[in-house]
Amino acid sequence: MTTSFGAAINIAAVDDPNPKLQIQRFNGLKSTSNSILLSRCIHRSFSHSNSTSIVRAVSTPAKPAAVEPKRSKVEIFKEQSNFIRYPLNEEILNDAPNINEAATQLIKFHGSYMQYNRDERGTRSYSFMLRTKNPGGEVPNKLYLVMDDLADQFGIGTLRLTTRQTFQLHGVLKKDLKTVMSTIIHNMGSTLGACGDLNRNVLAPAAPFAKKDYVFAKQTADNIAALLTPQSGFYYDVWVDGEKFMTVEPPEVVKARNDNSHGTNFPDSPEPIYGTQFLPRKFKIAVTVPSDNSVDIFTNDIGVVVVSDEDGEPQGFNIYVGGGMGRTHRMETTFPRLAEPLGYVPKADILYAVKAIVVTQRENGRRDDRRYSRLKYLLSSWGIEKFRSVTEQYYGKKFEPCRELPQWEFKSYLGWHEQGDGSLFCGLHVDNGRVKGEMKKALREVIEKYNLNVRLTPNQNIILSNIRQSWKRSITTVLAQGGLLQPRFVDPLNLTAMACPAFPLCPLAITEAERGIPDILKRVRAMFDKVGLRFYESVVIRVTGCPNGCARPYMAELGLVGDGPNSYQIWLGGTPNQTVLARTFKDKVKVQDLEKVLEPLFFHWKRKRHSKESFGEFSNRLGFEKLGDLVEKWDGIPESSSRYNLNLFADKETYQAMDALARIQNKNAHQLAIDVIRNYVASQQNGKSMD
């Protein structure tokens, strides 16, 4: 059996609410015994519909043109790879330090990227980054210790926690790839599908609560991950010589995968859901519970939210579709996008609904230009109604209206918490997710000594779980000695900040992110101090070295997106609960000029905000035109504000009481306190003058 692409048909402008975006639609991967058959069928369809209006010369009969749709180079690599094996299986065995172009694309499906050190000049030093796949961020004790060892033995001595609840291991040489991969596989781990054109790691709240909805969300994430895991065995053929690793899957997962009652599967294929071509691009799914937006739910291709009854018993799911962060500078037809409501399904149907959405993207997502291949562009082109209608054909049912949910909150789960089963868990902040040095040693000591399991969070932090109450003091001491402090001792700016790795290893980086954000955060804190903002006040800051958005900067209150050497595009307007998309405020701001833009914004936020108004909310209320004027006219902090900006409050309670009174007069606590003091001084002076 061979596979061929369906015909490419331009969607007319009348179907597209954004006429700038002309999405080319593919009818997907149709299994046929002859690729010409599809073009004949298409010709018959068009000939029949136009037979009454077309006159052809007898001497030159029209012949159907068998037009092959354009395909990206990656699509051809996939088709010729024997289900993601060739030529990778040969390339990893030769003596070269790198692999060829086709293998470079294919190894992504195995969970790895080839990289080189961009700080070096001359000959390139190639290495490989490996990314694990950990649904819900769950890492068994044994696997953590193995990853810790591998980082020292074969990597650069550090582990990196990613924004998708996985590990990244950097600096692995090609000659060691098979050893490292097989070690991970033999120790309850996997990198299969952590990268590539298929479903990536499925997110879920990292907090190991024993609550019914949290347990059910984690179980659902596990089941979705299993459903969409490749089945053809290419991963094990390449890395462990075909050794079979049998995992017991829930029967509902096997049943949903094999079900083809609505034409979702490729019959008799080693990959019943993916086929030979897999998906047009990467695909991301997150599962959570109402109000818990620790997973950035609206940035995913599919967002799944557990809906429970009054007794806390899960009943079904709200489903959201079409989120995604990546874009390309100076191309307005590429954009970040939030997921939107698709509908509600009963809990027994979730795997079938997810599968139907994936197949809709498989069959209709673009495969000619990878910049437009994500699900968000299909949603933008079709609109939600058409997408829902097509998906329902694969689902076999109508989606019910989404259930009403409470307001979303960002939850970090840092610090000590009760799990609800008698044990504790401890959330630890890790700057930029980089585990290294004394921190790495302290984590190793605690995890190994107390046999702890680990959860990785979507904010690049780590949670230690199943801790006995009697262990709390000794664990806290060891962690503090390694620099892993309780959240009250960490700058609030750092607690919510994120950055992608960028230089020196990412080939897409335009400027610094991970290496640059520590200094940026210190400068922001200095600006806060200068304009009179308090230590406990914060904004959500995210920095990326390019526009692909790996640290989700387009959801930040302040997003810095690399757009040139030492230069950033500034995005404003995201909110702390991550439900509002930021927008571009300024382009090409040099890193040394950040104060010129940010200081006036922070100054006016301090003085003109409403009660409890976040920086992102303030930015949206004032509008970017007004904010731009404030920046353009900025001459520095007025002398009256800076000369007499005294610390008036010795304790938090006094400040909060004064702040509550101040809001009634549309002021802040500092302003009201100054007014009170001025009035008092004036009254005393007046009294003396009258004596």
Side-chain angles (χ1 to χ4, degrees):
M1 177 180 292
T2 61
T3 58
S4 61
F5 285 88
I9 303 171
N10 272 331
I11 295 177
V14 294
D15 293 330
D16 186 356
N18 180 3
K20 294 181 181 179
L21 181 61
Q22 293 295 313
I23 298 293
Q24 197 174 35
R25 175 188 168 195
F26 285 89
N27 282 340
L29 312 175
K30 305 299 183 182
S31 296
T32 69
S33 58
N34 189 338
S35 61
I36 301 175
L37 177 62
L38 184 59
S39 62
R40 288 176 177 170
C41 292
I42 293 171
H43 169 65
R44 276 201 300 271
S45 174
F46 279 100
S47 297
H48 176 74
S49 62
N50 296 304
S51 59
T52 58
S53 59
I54 298 177
V55 178
R56 299 189 176 94
V58 174
S59 58
T60 56
K63 296 181 180 180
V67 179
E68 284 290 328
K70 293 180 180 179
R71 294 188 292 168
S72 70
K73 187 181 292 186
V74 177
E75 290 298 316
I76 297 172
F77 289 154
K78 289 187 288 187
E79 184 179 49
Q80 298 174 350
S81 70
N82 185 23
F83 293 98
I84 320 299
R85 292 175 173 85
Y86 176 83
L88 177 62
N89 52 356
E90 296 181 355
E91 284 289 303
I92 63 170
L93 298 178
N94 64 39
D95 294 331
N98 59 329
I99 55 179
N100 67 20
E101 184 181 7
T104 299
Q105 294 298 329
L106 298 180
I107 201 171
K108 296 176 184 179
F109 291 77
H110 297 253
S112 178
Y113 282 83
M114 184 170 71
Q115 301 178 327
Y116 62 93
N117 190 337
R118 296 176 64 185
D119 283 346
E120 295 180 353
R121 296 293 178 264
T123 304
R124 289 183 176 180
S125 299
Y126 289 99
S127 65
F128 291 79
M129 178 272 284
L130 273 62
R131 183 184 297 155
T132 59
K133 201 169 183 183
N134 311 90
E138 185 174 21
V139 182
N141 176 271
K142 184 179 180 181
L143 179 59
Y144 182 91
L145 299 178
V146 165
M147 295 300 298
D148 184 76
D149 288 337
L150 292 175
D152 291 336
Q153 295 172 17
F154 300 101
I156 59 174
T158 71
L159 282 173
R160 197 168 197 279
L161 318 179
T162 79
T163 59
R164 291 204 70 80
Q165 297 183 273
T166 64
F167 287 120
Q168 283 186 179
L169 186 63
H170 292 272
V172 179
L173 300 179
K174 180 180 148 182
K175 66 182 181 64
D176 297 322
L177 267 178
K178 199 161 185 177
T179 298
V180 175
M181 285 285 204
S182 62
T183 301
I184 293 172
I185 293 169
H186 284 104
N187 286 276
M188 304 170 63
S190 176
T191 65
L192 172 59
C195 324
D197 299 342
L198 70 175
N199 180 55
R200 303 287 184 90
N201 196 52
V202 181
L203 303 189
F209 287 132
K211 302 173 186 176
K212 288 182 181 179
D213 54 352
Y214 276 85
V215 172
F216 192 59
K218 177 61 170 65
Q219 176 189 338
T220 301
D222 290 343
N223 287 349
I224 291 173
L227 172 74
L228 299 176
T229 295
Q231 299 296 300
S232 54
F234 62 81
Y235 180 65
Y236 302 104
D237 285 349
V238 172
W239 305 113
V240 290
D241 300 323
E243 183 180 352
K244 302 298 182 183
F245 283 79
M246 303 299 294
T247 56
V248 179
E249 293 182 323
E252 60 266 30
V253 172
V254 178
K255 182 180 179 182
R257 182 190 298 123
N258 294 336
D259 179 75
N260 196 29
S261 55
H262 302 289
T264 54
N265 290 15
F266 292 97
D268 304 319
S269 172
E271 293 290 353
I273 296 178
Y274 290 127
T276 59
Q277 302 300 130
F278 288 76
L279 297 180
R281 276 296 300 275
K282 58 187 174 183
F283 201 90
K284 298 180 178 180
I285 301 175
V287 184
T288 192
V289 302
S291 82
D292 186 340
N293 199 17
S294 59
V295 299
D296 256 358
I297 190 75
F298 298 107
T299 65
N300 290 270
D301 294 272
I302 302 178
V304 178
V305 184
V306 176
V307 177
S308 302
D309 62 19
E310 295 179 355
D311 297 324
E313 194 65 41
Q315 299 298 308
F317 302 89
N318 279 0
I319 299 178
Y320 304 83
V321 291
M325 292 287 95
R327 49 179 285 275
T328 303
H329 282 314
R330 292 173 292 282
M331 290 190 66
E332 293 183 9
T333 51
T334 65
F335 44 81
R337 188 180 192 276
L338 297 187
E340 56 187 306
L342 179 68
Y344 170 89
V345 299
K347 62 182 180 181
D349 289 350
I350 185 60
L351 297 180
Y352 299 90
V354 166
K355 183 180 175 183
I357 297 167
V358 170
V359 170
T360 300
Q361 162 67 351
R362 182 194 77 194
E363 292 296 305
N364 298 281
R366 284 184 64 166
R367 294 180 181 268
D368 62 326
D369 190 335
R370 292 176 65 81
R371 287 173 296 188
Y372 302 105
S373 294
R374 290 289 299 275
L375 179 68
K376 64 181 178 181
Y377 294 115
L378 185 62
L379 260 295
S380 181
S381 173
W382 278 8
I384 189 63
E385 295 301 330
K386 179 176 179 180
F387 183 85
R388 182 183 292 114
S389 177
V390 173
T391 303
E392 286 173 343
Q393 296 175 38
Y394 292 116
Y395 176 38
K397 298 180 182 180
K398 293 286 186 181
F399 290 102
E400 300 176 37
C402 280
R403 304 300 194 252
E404 188 173 346
L405 298 177
Q407 290 293 316
W408 291 102
E409 299 176 35
F410 168 72
K411 298 178 185 291
S412 70
Y413 298 115
L414 297 177
W416 288 94
H417 302 266
E418 298 277 353
Q419 289 184 183
D421 58 2
S423 297
L424 304 175
F425 73 84
C426 182
L428 300 166
H429 170 71
V430 180
D431 279 338
N432 303 312
R434 183 68 68 176
V435 179
K436 60 183 179 180
E438 293 303 313
M439 175 195 301
K440 185 169 177 290
K441 293 178 183 177
L443 279 172
R444 171 75 186 225
E445 178 181 340
V446 167
I447 291 170
E448 188 170 31
K449 179 178 180 180
Y450 296 98
N451 195 31
L452 301 180
N453 292 326
V454 166
R455 298 275 184 104
L456 310 181
T457 84
N459 248 53
Q460 301 176 300
N461 296 319
I462 191 167
I463 289 175
L464 308 181
S465 61
N466 302 320
I467 301 172
R468 295 180 187 176
Q469 184 75 43
S470 60
W471 300 342
K472 180 177 177 180
R473 177 175 294 182
S474 58
I475 287 177
T476 300
T477 300
V478 174
L479 294 175
Q481 290 171 347
L484 289 157
L485 306 176
Q486 291 303 296
R488 66 181 179 275
F489 300 120
V490 181
D491 190 321
L493 289 170
N494 292 59
L495 292 179
T496 56
M498 291 200 296
C500 70
F503 288 126
L505 294 177
C506 179
L508 302 176
I510 304 171
T511 193
E512 298 285 0
E514 181 182 343
R515 296 194 303 194
I517 196 173
D519 181 62
I520 290 172
L521 293 176
K522 289 177 183 176
R523 290 164 62 188
V524 170
R525 177 53 64 192
M527 283 183 263
F528 271 31
D529 292 341
K530 187 175 181 181
V531 304
L533 287 162
R534 295 299 204 171
F535 177 78
Y536 58 81
E537 297 186 275
S538 183
V539 299
V540 178
I541 300 174
R542 295 175 178 176
V543 183
T544 60
C546 83
N548 284 316
C550 292
R552 304 191 290 272
Y554 310 117
M555 301 299 289
E557 294 184 275
L558 171 59
L560 303 180
V561 180
D563 64 357
N566 299 312
S567 174
Y568 296 95
Q569 190 179 63
I570 295 181
W571 288 64
L572 301 176
T575 53
N577 67 352
Q578 295 154 26
T579 58
V580 177
L581 196 65
R583 293 173 290 141
T584 310
F585 177 62
K586 290 226 175 256
D587 293 310
K588 297 290 183 182
V589 177
K590 289 295 184 181
V591 66
Q592 63 267 24
D593 295 331
L594 287 176
E595 280 82 357
K596 295 178 182 178
V597 177
L598 299 182
E599 187 176 287
L601 299 181
F602 295 147
F603 176 84
H604 289 286
W605 174 47
K606 166 73 167 63
R607 281 151 183 79
K608 298 181 179 180
R609 59 187 170 179
H610 291 166
S611 177
K612 299 181 181 179
E613 186 174 44
S614 71
F615 179 67
E617 293 165 339
F618 169 79
S619 300
N620 291 328
R621 178 172 61 82
L622 254 65
F624 283 14
E625 183 177 351
K626 180 66 179 293
L627 294 178
D629 288 342
L630 295 176
V631 172
E632 290 298 320
K633 297 175 182 177
W634 182 248
D635 289 326
I637 298 175
E639 185 176 349
S640 60
S641 297
S642 58
R643 281 184 62 191
Y644 306 109
N645 187 19
L646 305 177
N647 290 325
L648 299 174
F649 303 104
D651 61 276
K652 185 175 181 181
E653 289 73 18
T654 303
Y655 167 79
Q656 290 176 332
M658 184 67 79
D659 188 60
L661 292 172
R663 296 308 175 190
I664 299 174
Q665 303 179 37
N666 199 27
K667 298 178 180 179
N668 60 45
H670 191 277
Q671 291 169 328
L672 181 57
I674 289 293
D675 289 346
V676 170
I677 293 170
R678 282 173 179 161
N679 292 337
Y680 177 79
V681 171
S683 68
Q684 294 300 306
Q685 291 173 338
N686 290 338
K688 289 179 180 179
S689 65
M690 293 172 64
D691 288 340

